[in-house]
Amino acid sequence: MSALLSTRATSVLRGADLGLLQTNVISTRSFGIKSTLRAQKFMAKLARQDAKVSSSVTALKETEQSQDPLVDDMPRELRVPMTPLPIRADTMERRWGTKDLEDLDIGVRKHRKPENVADAIAYYAVKSARKPTDIFFRNKYLHRSVMLEVVAAVPGMVGALIRHIKSLQGMRHDGGWIGHLLHEAENERMHLMTWMEVGKPVLWERALIATVQTGFFAVFSLLYMVSPRTAHRVVGYLEEEAVTSYTHFIKEIDAGRIENVKAPAIAVAYWNLDESATLRDVVLAVRADEALHRDTNHHFSDRIRVGRESLYEDLDHADDKPHIKY
């Protein structure tokens, strides 16, 4: 009975979510601003739906004595899963098919030319790091993707952490970056979870990947503390390379050198893909995400350069201004 109510409650929540998404389209910008007034109202409605479902599940559990005291003591808030949201808000408005993904204008060949010494250092550092990856993985694009996402998930979390600490130390608002950076990190982690369902790295490959990630985490953390502008430029160029790698991945699938298997369930659910989605559709969706991260991080670097970091202030006279300063 408890499992049945939980399942029905989850279904009600999902139905409510989709209904709200159809009537509350979250406005987005090319550099990824999603913290708008309508977005906050939308999330508030989701929170109320979560509370209703949580209350129903909790009420039933209180009438049935569980055999697990840890479950009985679980706070009500923890009974509602915090489902990861895709980086593009419009993804959840409808099911996405192959043509929808192919029609996305992501700027496959888009490149930001270095404008100063710091930009040039960032650009050539990323280019140099790509060479050993090409030599090691060659055309093993599934394993290359795992390596890429393990590294790509680091910058967003590092940037959010450092900005969070600086906001606390300075006792001032962050300007709206922390949420976007955390969302980026979560999105990259979901990329990794997806590729782990498709390609299974062996033990020595896992060890190599873990070593590279540890080294990158240390170097990038230091870079972000010294020069966040350069750090975001590095990520922008890293994402340019990611778009290139996934474009080659798609070509390998089209050439028949990589089997176009059925998309894993985690990918279908996360990107709201058609039930018939394939590996190629997943690569298209991931590439679109990386293109958005590319634009976002180049934009963040530009904002630091001109001294206009606050996203909130630029929305001050817009209809989508958030009602809470962040």
Side-chain angles (χ1 to χ4, degrees):
M1 181 62 181
S2 176
L4 177 60
L5 180 57
S6 298
T7 302
R8 293 185 62 184
T10 302
S11 300
V12 170
L13 177 59
R14 287 178 178 172
D17 288 354
L18 290 176
L20 290 169
L21 280 162
Q22 290 172 352
T23 56
N24 295 273
V25 180
I26 303 175
S27 62
T28 59
R29 298 182 178 227
S30 61
F31 45 86
I33 293 180
K34 298 184 291 300
S35 298
T36 65
L37 179 58
R38 283 190 295 173
Q40 292 190 353
K41 288 181 179 178
F42 168 74
M43 295 308 295
K45 289 182 180 180
L46 288 187
R48 287 195 292 272
Q49 291 290 340
D50 287 352
K52 289 180 181 179
V53 174
S54 178
S55 298
S56 300
V57 175
T58 303
L60 179 62
K61 285 186 175 294
E62 288 176 351
T63 61
E64 297 182 2
Q65 185 63 34
S66 172
Q67 300 298 317
D68 189 344
L70 188 62
V71 174
D72 293 336
D73 293 337
M74 185 185 297
R76 185 175 64 183
E77 290 74 11
L78 298 183
R79 296 184 185 275
V80 179
M82 297 295 290
T83 306
L85 296 175
I87 200 70
R88 292 175 179 269
D90 53 353
T91 302
M92 299 307 293
E93 294 173 26
R94 56 187 168 81
R95 290 280 186 178
W96 282 68
T98 303
K99 189 176 187 306
D100 298 317
L101 295 166
E102 289 178 338
D103 288 346
L104 281 173
D105 184 13
I106 63 172
V108 173
R109 295 181 176 83
K110 192 174 181 179
H111 168 61
R112 174 61 178 267
K113 293 183 179 180
E115 297 178 354
N116 50 51
V117 175
D119 288 357
I121 291 174
Y123 175 70
Y124 288 109
V126 172
K127 279 294 186 181
S128 298
R130 183 186 175 97
K131 291 181 180 179
T133 304
D134 290 339
I135 294 173
F136 183 80
F137 288 105
R138 297 182 183 276
N139 293 328
K140 297 172 64 177
Y141 281 96
L142 282 173
H143 292 184
R144 177 195 289 263
S145 298
V146 172
M147 169 71 85
L148 174 64
E149 300 303 343
V150 165
V151 171
V154 169
M157 187 60 67
V158 168
L161 173 60
I162 293 176
R163 293 188 69 90
H164 175 72
I165 296 301
K166 286 185 176 181
S167 177
L168 297 177
Q169 291 177 341
M171 301 180 190
R172 62 178 182 272
H173 294 288
D174 165 66
W177 292 39
I178 295 174
H180 290 296
L181 292 172
L182 288 174
H183 197 183
E184 176 186 312
E186 180 183 66
N187 176 250
E188 299 286 13
R189 184 176 61 84
M190 290 303 295
H191 291 176
L192 175 63
M193 296 300 103
T194 298
W195 295 134
M196 291 300 291
E197 292 292 321
V198 182
K200 307 291 184 181
V202 296
L203 183 59
W204 68 269
E205 288 176 323
R206 287 172 176 262
L208 175 63
I209 290 170
T211 301
V212 171
Q213 184 198 49
T214 302
F216 181 74
F217 175 80
V219 172
F220 188 81
S221 297
L222 180 60
L223 175 61
Y224 203 98
M225 287 186 284
V226 174
S227 177
R229 179 173 67 85
T230 304
H232 281 291
R233 191 68 77 202
V234 166
V235 179
Y237 287 129
L238 179 65
E239 299 296 358
E240 287 183 13
E241 295 300 323
V243 171
T244 299
S245 293
Y246 283 121
T247 299
H248 291 162
F249 196 163
I250 293 170
K251 291 179 179 179
E252 289 294 303
I253 295 174
D254 291 343
R257 288 186 285 271
I258 296 178
E259 184 181 0
N260 192 22
V261 298
K262 182 177 175 58
I266 185 175
V268 173
Y270 182 64
W271 284 285
N272 201 23
L273 303 176
D274 284 340
E275 293 295 336
S276 60
T278 62
L279 175 62
R280 188 176 186 275
D281 296 321
V282 177
V283 180
L284 285 168
V286 173
R287 185 180 67 170
D289 288 350
E290 304 295 7
L292 184 55
H293 298 320
R294 171 200 64 202
D295 297 341
T296 299
N297 280 278
H298 280 315
H299 182 80
F300 280 158
S301 182
D302 291 342
R303 280 186 167 270
I304 296 174
R305 179 172 56 84
V306 299
R308 290 175 54 188
E309 293 190 36
S310 178
L311 303 177
Y312 181 90
E313 297 302 331
D314 280 352
L315 295 176
D316 194 48
H317 301 291
D319 292 335
D320 54 2
K321 174 191 172 185
H323 66 285
I324 298 177
K325 194 169 184 178
Y326 49 94

